[in-house]
Amino acid sequence: MRRFLSLLLLVLTATMGLVISPNSALAAEFVSKSLEGANVYIIAPEDGETVPGTFKVKFGLSGMGIAPAGIEKDGTGHHHLLVDIDSLPDLSEALSASDQIKHFGGGQTETTLTLPPGDHTLQLVLANYVHIPHNPPVISEPINITVGGAL
């Protein structure tokens, strides 16, 4: 029961945008190991591409599997899309949902995104069942896109 309540607290705090200290026993209890050779990447759009205001982003993953948030299974995780992030968030904490950190806790492997005209960056982070990035982190290279079309 204690583990269930801890898990519920951790998922709620990440979903509500609150932060749990990485030094807390709660965060440390839920860290997951990534698998050697795991790789996450953006399939589309391509780096340097010009896209319309609303476009599809396709996520790629090799060396690990996808499982929805809340499902604890070794070697799996779910995607988080970082949009226009200047520096990575603390990867030892649960990733807080925001306009710049989009959660795909249902196990989705693509999304439709709408961004204003201009230059943008996109990057993926794979996180475990409670939104904490794996150790070591599985992170894509950032890509640069230009939104040139109407919204």
Side-chain angles (χ1 to χ4, degrees), residues 1-145:
M1 181 61 140
R2 179 187 171 283
R3 184 164 170 83
F4 172 77
L5 292 175
S6 296
L7 174 61
L8 181 61
L9 175 62
L10 194 58
V11 169
L12 287 174
T13 56
T15 303
M16 294 169 45
L18 303 173
V19 174
I20 291 179
S21 168
N23 298 322
S24 76
L26 183 58
E29 183 178 344
F30 295 102
V31 172
S32 300
K33 186 174 178 355
S34 61
L35 299 180
E36 189 174 335
N39 184 34
V40 66
Y41 50 94
I42 296 173
I43 298 169
E46 293 181 11
D47 188 34
E49 189 172 342
T50 297
V51 297
T54 298
F55 59 98
K56 189 171 279 195
V57 181
K58 294 183 179 183
F59 314 146
L61 176 65
S62 63
M64 289 183 71
I66 295 292
I71 303 297
E72 182 179 7
K73 185 174 181 186
D74 288 343
T76 68
H78 64 278
H79 294 289
H80 294 76
L81 180 63
L82 310 182
V83 180
D84 295 332
I85 297 282
D86 293 327
S87 60
L88 288 172
D90 186 339
L91 298 177
S92 64
E93 295 181 352
L95 297 172
S96 299
S98 70
D99 288 340
Q100 290 185 288
I101 301 176
K102 305 205 179 282
H103 287 231
F104 297 93
Q108 303 93 317
T109 58
E110 63 181 45
T111 189
T112 299
L113 195 59
T114 300
L115 293 174
D119 295 331
H120 299 278
T121 60
L122 303 175
Q123 189 170 20
L124 287 172
V125 176
L126 191 70
N128 71 7
Y129 65 108
V130 290
H131 306 287
I132 297 175
H134 295 81
N135 185 14
V138 180
I139 307 169
S140 75
E141 291 295 322
I143 67 163
N144 298 294
I145 60 166

